[in-house]
Amino acid sequence: MSHPPVRSESRFPLVGSHDRFTWLLATTVMGVYLLIVVGATTAITDAAAACGGWPACGGEWFAISDTQIAIAWGHRVTALLVGVLVAITAAIALIGDASRRVRAALGLGVVLYTTQVAIGAAAATVGLTGVLSNLHLLVAMLVFGTLVLALAWTLEAETAGLDVESDPTEPDPDPEPVGDVPTPTVPDDVLGRAKLTAFAYFRLMKPRLMWLLCLVASAGMALAAGPDLTIRTIVLTLTGGVLAIGASGTFNHVLERDVDKKMARTSDRPVATHLVPVRNALAFGGLLTLASLAVFLQVNVLAAALGLVAILFYSVIYTLVLKPNTVQNTVIGGAAGALPAMIGWVAVTGRIGLPGLALAGVIFLWTPAHFYNLALAYKDDYARGGFPMMPVVHGEAVTRKHILWYLAATLLGASALSVITDLGVLYAATTVALGGVFLWAVVRLHWERTEQAAFRAFHASNAYLGALLVAIVVDALVL
């Protein structure tokens, strides 16, 4: 990744530099997102019905007599503060050096925000009907979208042309090949050989992926069962999931063994270095698959079917079809990570349901926002392996823009999940707080454009999803 030169400074009233305006705009984006989540919490608790009339509750100002009225007042105060923030941001953009399209996006945001307030006032006055409630949420999401658009254009204008690009008249030089990685030395003693072999088979299972995918399945189970979730369902579902992940990882090691030898980050994998023979790895993957299905069948048939689909999708569709052939491999491949959410839901209910699908949708949208950071950090390595990853095919600037888009989509998906389910304050606070940290890391990535910044955003994405899933489990089981 390139190390950029110093950016030029544009002037904006009140905030001064372009950098500060960008942070103001990012803060406004998260302010609107906070309003969406608070609004969803208000709808869940039916607090809006307890606070009739507008702008005061039943004609009384500051009459906070119970929790529901307090929540409703909190929503209205938040709307007022965020509205002021939106207006200030739009005004500074209009007077300052913002581009025409940024001004247009913020102007549209102001109009939509005013419309949203009017819909909210009408809903509070005549009663929050289903149509008005849905329209209120839809317009709020449109406001969020226009502000994210303005932020993306601001970052694009600020960092345009700062990436170090190669001469377009000359072909890009091929990355230097990785030297041959010798087969690890096998110890002479029996215990040493056993440890080395056991660890090699353990690595085949890709254990780094297990904690997060098991947490996804746990969130699906918690949403479906709530406090009634049984230990048996948890143990069987997570055991089947671990075995399925291990089978998928093992087959991936086998199928990518030749490419793994070309890439620095994968050249020491057990099959690539011949520490585990291909035949043995295939047998191990098959055994894990059968064991996974046997465990899932103790839950129900649909869970077993989805487990098999997950193994086949990652091992065959993603590894052989998507990853080496299309730049959209990460986007479509996100379905593999989303399936554990459905498995968790199905393990409890025996059928596919909307909340399980909504959780799977959050994981699906999060995957590109998460993995594109890794693709940026290992851009040369993926090019060396011949994989058409987004930064290899379309460049780093486009990839950074897509990270921001998918982050925004993930946040909206998380807010939609709060509307569909009865998740409460802990979930709302988590998605806003950690979503803000994730956005901060992505903005820094746009400015710094370094491997360190890409890893920072990668870890921020992990922190966001991990905390969100824990919040779902705690909210559903305890609160």
Side-chain angles (χ1 to χ4, degrees):
M1 297 182 68
S2 58
H3 296 269
V6 178
R7 302 185 303 274
S8 61
E9 292 291 336
S10 301
R11 304 303 300 176
F12 290 83
L14 298 181
V15 295
S17 68
H18 207 146
D19 286 6
R20 292 178 179 175
F21 172 73
T22 302
W23 284 124
L24 174 64
L25 182 51
T27 302
T28 305
V29 167
M30 289 310 300
V32 172
Y33 184 64
L34 170 64
L35 182 60
I36 293 173
V37 175
V38 170
T41 304
T42 303
I44 291 168
T45 59
D46 204 26
C51 188
W54 191 89
C57 282
E60 296 185 27
W61 294 90
F62 308 110
I64 304 177
S65 57
D66 58 37
T67 302
Q68 287 190 333
I69 293 179
I71 293 174
W73 263 115
H75 182 209
R76 295 186 185 186
V77 171
T78 302
L80 174 62
L81 296 177
V82 172
V84 171
L85 188 59
V86 170
I88 290 174
T89 304
I92 290 176
L94 182 63
I95 301 172
D97 291 341
S99 66
R100 182 177 299 177
R101 59 181 182 175
V102 170
R103 294 175 184 174
L106 287 172
L108 178 59
V110 170
V111 173
L112 289 172
Y113 196 91
T114 305
T115 303
Q116 184 203 19
V117 171
I119 295 172
T125 302
V126 305
L128 194 60
T129 64
V131 174
L132 285 178
S133 177
N134 293 333
L135 184 61
H136 189 60
L137 177 62
L138 175 61
V139 175
M141 290 182 170
L142 290 175
V143 174
F144 180 77
T146 58
L147 295 182
V148 170
L149 190 64
L151 177 60
W153 284 337
T154 299
L155 289 169
E156 182 181 342
E158 191 174 356
T159 60
L162 295 185
D163 284 319
V164 178
E165 302 289 349
S166 59
D167 187 345
T169 62
E170 299 180 3
D172 291 335
D174 293 330
E176 294 183 6
V178 177
D180 292 336
V181 178
T183 302
T185 302
V186 179
D188 293 331
D189 60 295
V190 175
L191 182 60
R193 286 199 302 271
K195 287 182 177 180
L196 181 64
T197 303
F199 184 66
Y201 278 93
F202 179 68
R203 286 187 63 197
L204 288 179
M205 297 173 68
K206 295 197 172 182
R208 292 183 180 180
L209 300 177
M210 289 180 179
W211 73 271
L212 190 58
L213 293 175
C214 284
L215 198 51
V216 172
S218 299
M221 288 187 284
L223 279 178
D228 297 327
L229 185 60
T230 65
I231 297 297
R232 179 181 183 275
T233 300
I234 295 172
V235 172
L236 289 175
T237 304
L238 294 186
T239 301
V242 166
L243 293 170
I245 295 165
S248 302
T250 300
F251 291 135
N252 176 266
H253 275 251
V254 172
L255 294 172
E256 290 189 346
R257 63 189 183 278
D258 293 331
V259 178
D260 283 343
K261 297 175 184 178
K262 303 177 182 178
M263 300 173 60
R265 63 185 291 263
T266 59
S267 59
D268 65 340
R269 285 180 170 176
V271 181
T273 57
H274 308 290
L275 184 60
V276 176
V278 171
R279 182 176 60 183
N280 292 9
L282 286 173
F284 183 61
L287 181 63
L288 290 173
T289 301
L290 293 176
S292 172
L293 295 178
V295 173
F296 274 139
L297 283 171
Q298 302 302 309
V299 182
N300 58 58
V301 175
L302 185 53
L306 289 176
L308 180 59
V309 169
I311 294 172
L312 292 175
F313 185 88
Y314 185 79
S315 303
V316 179
I317 303 301
Y318 175 71
T319 301
L320 292 181
V321 179
L322 297 175
K323 191 175 180 180
N325 294 307
T326 173
V327 72
Q328 296 299 323
N329 48 24
T330 300
V331 176
I332 304 171
L339 279 169
M342 297 175 61
I343 292 173
W345 178 272
V346 164
V348 173
T349 65
R351 57 185 175 80
I352 295 174
L354 183 58
L357 288 171
L359 177 60
V362 172
I363 308 303
F364 181 82
L365 294 170
W366 169 85
T367 301
H370 163 75
F371 186 79
Y372 281 159
N373 295 290
L374 199 64
L376 283 170
Y378 292 115
K379 174 185 174 183
D380 290 342
D381 219 14
Y382 281 116
R384 189 180 293 114
F387 291 121
M389 297 301 179
M390 179 67 72
V392 175
V393 176
H394 294 302
E396 296 180 14
V398 172
T399 304
R400 291 192 299 267
K401 182 166 61 176
H402 278 74
I403 291 172
L404 179 59
W405 286 129
Y406 278 105
L407 167 56
T410 301
L411 294 177
L412 288 180
S415 66
L417 180 62
S418 69
V419 173
I420 294 170
T421 63
D422 57 355
L423 295 170
V425 175
L426 176 62
Y427 175 82
T430 301
T431 188
V432 172
L434 273 297
V437 173
F438 194 179
L439 179 62
W440 169 82
V442 171
V443 172
R444 295 299 305 177
L445 173 63
H446 275 76
W447 285 347
E448 297 176 17
R449 298 177 299 285
T450 61
E451 183 177 308
Q452 180 182 5
F455 277 120
R456 184 195 299 128
F458 174 80
H459 293 309
S461 69
N462 266 334
Y464 170 77
L465 187 62
L468 191 74
L469 294 170
V470 170
I472 291 173
V473 171
V474 174
D475 214 330
L477 298 182
V478 180
L479 301 182

